[in-house]
């Protein structure tokens, strides 16, 4: 299957990043969200991102215009009918994703592939709720999408080889490096990453070192570009907590218990950069 148009449900951080990655690579993108304001905010983010690339001399003004011309927007799911692949990039909530996927599934032609950009929810479970389980797959991009090279391609129990191969080929066309992963909570990267962040909160709670020293230790000792506590602030402490709770429920293993300090900070509304304060103040 040749994918020339990709539909994206959600114009937030991940959705607009995926739309930009598609359009830069010459693939048409249709970005759908619930309101004009949400869609316009997504387009404004893409414009800002492209402007930064112009300043760095990575692209030209003509490239920017061509990229934006490939992105259509709508508040109506009907616009997704142009796509051969539709990627759901909504908030990390099973109920919300289920509602969105069932709405899209009822509208799209049977041969259309549907993917979820979920970072922790079971692809097998989401696939089972659609009428196209063999044409359903996980396509987990990383933030910021235009810059990050990795895409985790997650096969549900029902995902066909043809679906996997088409999505892998698309990821490569986007200039990404895909890795194929079996369905399991957190897949590969977040399965390792989020418990590491959680462990950093245990170290902080025990008073072993300051946040700055914990982050410096991991940056300089493990060659990480950003320390785990600063990364938690960037991801959102509420997101980190939600992922840990999914792992604990799914694996039933106490090693995935969330650090009480992480829970306490989320309860206080200190969620990281998005609220102006998390482990650090912004």
């Amino acid at each position: 299957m040749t994918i020339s148009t990709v539909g994206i449900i959600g114009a937030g951080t991940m959705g607009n990043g995926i739309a930009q990655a598609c359009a830069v690579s010459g693939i048409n993108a249709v970005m759908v969200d619930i309101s004009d304001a949400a869609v316009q905010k997504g387009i404004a983010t893409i414009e800002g991102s492209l402007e930064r690339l112009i300043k760095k001399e990575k692209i030209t003004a003509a490239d920017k215009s061509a990229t934006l011309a490939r992105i259509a927007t709508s508040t109506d799911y009907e616009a997704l009918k142009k796509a051969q692949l539709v990627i759901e990039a909504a908030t990390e909530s099973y109920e919300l994703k289920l509602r969105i996927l069932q709405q899209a599934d009822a509208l799209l032609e049977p041969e259309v592939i549907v993917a979820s950009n979920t970072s922790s929810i079971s692809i097998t479970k989401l696939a089972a709720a659609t009428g196209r389980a063999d044409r359903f797959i996980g396509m987990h991009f990383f933030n910021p999408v235009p810059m990050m090279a990795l895409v985790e391609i997650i096969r549900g129990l029902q995902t066909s080889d043809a679906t996997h191969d088409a999505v892998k080929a698309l990821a490569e066309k986007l200039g990404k490096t895909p890795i194929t992963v079996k369905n399991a909570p957190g897949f590969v990267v977040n399965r390792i990453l989020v418990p590491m962040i959680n462990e950093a909160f245990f170290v902080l709670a025990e008073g072993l070192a300051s946040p700055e020293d914990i982050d410096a230790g991991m940056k300089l000792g493990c060659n990480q570009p950003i320390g785990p506590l600063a990364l938690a602030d960037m991801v959102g402490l509420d997101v980190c907590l939600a992922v840990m709770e999914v792992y604990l429920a799914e694996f039933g293993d106490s090693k995935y218990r969330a650090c009480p300090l992480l829970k306490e900070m989320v309860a206080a509304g200190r969620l990281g950069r998005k609220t102006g304060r998390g482990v650090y103040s912004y």
Side-chain angles (χ1 to χ4, degrees):
M1 172 192 263
T2 305
I3 297 170
S4 57
T5 301
V6 173
I8 298 135
I9 303 172
T13 304
M14 298 306 290
N16 67 58
I18 295 166
Q20 180 179 328
C22 289
V24 163
S25 304
I27 293 162
N28 295 318
V30 181
M31 192 166 63
V32 175
D33 211 317
I34 52 172
S35 68
D36 279 325
V39 165
Q40 290 312 313
K41 190 178 176 189
I43 288 290
T45 301
I46 294 168
E47 287 177 339
S49 175
L50 295 172
E51 273 300 321
R52 286 191 293 278
L53 291 172
I54 290 172
K55 282 179 185 161
K56 290 177 183 172
E57 299 185 350
K58 298 275 179 74
I59 64 168
T60 64
D63 293 331
K64 177 188 171 185
S65 298
T67 297
L68 290 171
R70 292 188 196 102
I71 303 172
T73 60
S74 182
T75 54
D76 188 347
Y77 275 39
E78 285 285 329
L80 298 170
K81 284 186 168 180
K82 302 170 191 168
Q84 294 84 41
L85 166 70
V86 171
I87 304 171
E88 168 275 311
T91 307
E92 197 70 353
S93 154
Y94 174 70
E95 289 73 23
L96 175 65
K97 288 184 185 295
L98 194 64
R99 194 163 68 245
I100 286 169
L101 290 168
Q102 288 177 336
Q103 191 177 338
D105 186 51
L107 182 79
L108 299 170
E109 292 297 326
E111 66 275 9
V112 175
I113 296 171
V114 175
S116 175
N117 180 55
T118 181
S119 57
S120 65
I121 297 168
S122 168
I123 295 301
T124 296
K125 191 175 175 185
L126 289 172
T130 72
R132 64 187 75 228
D134 61 321
R135 289 178 306 290
F136 190 91
I137 198 163
M139 201 175 186
H140 180 213
F141 291 83
F142 289 77
N143 186 24
V145 177
M147 311 304 295
M148 297 292 274
L150 182 68
V151 178
E152 285 182 316
I153 296 177
I154 304 104
R155 298 187 70 142
L157 193 63
Q158 320 92 315
T159 306
S160 71
D161 289 344
T163 297
H164 167 268
D165 295 349
V167 169
K168 185 175 181 229
L170 174 72
E172 288 167 346
K173 192 171 179 183
L174 298 184
K176 305 299 183 190
T177 302
I179 62 170
T180 300
V181 181
K182 287 181 184 175
N183 184 61
F187 316 128
V188 167
V189 175
N190 285 339
R191 167 82 174 272
I192 298 167
L193 177 69
V194 182
M196 183 196 74
I197 289 172
N198 190 53
E199 196 63 28
F201 275 93
F202 274 115
V203 169
L204 179 63
E206 289 166 25
L208 297 184
S210 68
E212 292 81 3
D213 283 355
I214 292 167
D215 279 350
M218 293 304 289
K219 283 165 70 178
L220 300 174
C222 297
N223 207 25
Q224 294 181 352
I226 183 172
L229 298 171
L231 181 58
D233 276 355
M234 197 161 87
V235 169
L237 271 60
D238 53 336
V239 175
C240 294
L241 176 59
V243 172
M244 287 305 295
E245 287 174 341
V246 167
Y247 293 174
L248 186 62
E250 293 288 329
F251 291 115
D253 188 330
S254 63
K255 75 178 180 181
Y256 296 112
R257 73 201 185 287
C259 175
L261 177 61
L262 176 59
K263 289 182 175 180
E264 189 80 353
M265 290 176 76
V266 170
R270 288 171 57 175
L271 308 183
R273 291 191 185 198
K274 61 187 170 189
T275 59
R277 192 171 182 200
V279 177
Y280 302 99
S281 294
Y282 298 90

